Amino acid sequence: MAEKILLVEDEEKLARMVELELRYEGYEVEKAFDGRTGLERALSGEHDLILLDIMLPALSGMEVLRRLRRESQVPVIMLTARDTVVDKVSGLDSGADDYITKPFAIEELLARIRAALRKRPAAQEAPRLTCGPLVMDVERHEVTVKGTEVELTRREFDLLRCLLEHKEKVLTREALLDHVWGFDFAGETNAVDVYIRFLRSKIDEKFGVKIIHTVRGVGYVIREED
Ligand code: CA
């Protein structure tokens, strides 16, 4: 998906020119022509990067940046007509990622944009739990073995997740009941054995692997076959 840039710049001709260049490079562009609108749009969280002019009507670029930084770490590149040390220092203090002084070559702006986007913290990897050929994508609620999806009920998924979170550690039936069914479970502890059987039939037996192990007299453990 195209990265989305918010351009806050009151000089409409310049804004239009930059917008065209950015679109040509494949970015999505939204424009705001004053500081107040710019701040409001920047706070929407919809943008991957903000290009922020300093001299703006309604609210200065520095003020927009200061208020934005209370809530957001979105990369911000300041556009400034004044190449003074004072501006740069106060902008850095306010949390700008970079500066570019007007007039600028579009290639230089593009290079700074690419650099600022690269510096972003990588999107959080979806948590994955694995055991040999088995992979659980917790957020997507998906389990695969050797790349083939396994259909699990909610309870089977929760039980498998609990085993995976304690990989190579033996869990007693009671511990599994507490984790998966909750402390107030009033049924028989053999519920665990029943669900372990379901999991084995869907995973170990179906795929010819051995990862769900019984530790006699103690409980269960998930680990790669030895
Ligand atoms: Ca301006």
Side-chain angles (χ1 to χ4, degrees):
M1 220 168 55
E3 279 155 322
K4 196 167 175 188
I5 295 176
L6 174 66
L7 171 60
V8 190
E9 168 61 77
D10 61 315
E11 290 165 56
E12 296 199 20
K13 242 176 90 181
L14 176 64
R16 181 73 192 143
M17 187 274 284
V18 172
E19 178 188 21
L20 286 175
E21 296 285 353
L22 293 178
R23 285 194 194 282
Y24 185 76
E25 291 296 313
Y27 297 108
E28 259 187 69
V29 182
E30 179 180 349
K31 287 183 308 219
F33 298 114
D34 67 79
R36 202 168 298 285
T37 315
L39 176 63
E40 194 185 296
R41 293 304 303 136
L43 286 171
S44 73
E46 293 169 19
H47 309 92
D48 297 291
L49 182 136
I50 318 283
L51 294 175
L52 182 59
D53 186 25
I54 289 184
M55 301 292 279
L56 285 169
L59 206 60
S60 81
M62 295 309 300
E63 190 56 23
V64 171
L65 178 63
R66 210 173 57 74
R67 296 196 197 177
L68 177 65
R69 277 291 174 257
R70 289 185 202 149
E71 296 185 34
S72 164
Q73 289 307 310
V74 63
V76 174
I77 299 177
M78 305 296 287
L79 309 176
T80 171
R82 297 171 298 172
D83 184 20
T84 69
V85 174
V86 173
D87 272 349
K88 289 193 174 178
V89 169
S90 64
L92 276 178
D93 286 346
S94 311
D97 296 82
D98 204 355
Y99 290 82
I100 191 160
T101 307
K102 293 192 254 184
F104 47 80
I106 195 71
E107 290 74 19
E108 192 189 352
L109 178 64
L110 292 171
R112 305 262 184 126
I113 288 172
R114 284 192 296 269
L117 288 172
R118 269 200 305 275
K119 273 197 309 199
R120 279 181 307 177
Q124 200 79 38
E125 279 272 305
R128 278 163 172 254
L129 300 168
T130 64
C131 180
L134 183 145
V135 178
M136 173 181 282
D137 184 324
V138 176
E139 270 175 15
R140 295 172 69 181
H141 227 263
E142 270 177 18
V143 175
T144 59
V145 177
K146 299 177 179 174
T148 301
E149 195 168 346
V150 182
E151 297 281 347
L152 296 179
T153 65
R154 178 75 188 268
R155 190 73 82 189
E156 292 164 352
F157 184 92
D158 291 345
L159 177 59
L160 181 62
R161 177 179 180 175
C162 184
L163 288 165
L164 285 167
E165 283 172 343
H166 302 85
K167 194 164 83 171
E168 291 172 21
K169 292 196 181 85
V170 181
L171 294 171
T172 62
R173 287 173 181 77
E174 289 73 22
L176 286 165
L177 272 180
D178 285 350
H179 277 295
V180 180
W181 278 264
F183 289 95
D184 53 358
F185 180 71
E188 301 290 322
T189 55
N190 73 5
V192 173
D193 305 289
V194 171
Y195 277 87
I196 288 283
R197 271 209 297 283
F198 293 158
L199 283 179
R200 278 204 175 120
S201 111
K202 289 183 173 184
I203 294 167
D204 293 57
E205 287 160 27
K206 183 165 177 205
F207 293 93
V209 297
K210 186 151 178 48
I211 56 177
I212 301 169
H213 303 263
T214 305
V215 180
R216 205 171 299 161
V218 186
Y220 297 101
V221 59
I222 196 163
R223 63 163 184 265
E224 285 186 64
E225 46 200 317
D226 36 31

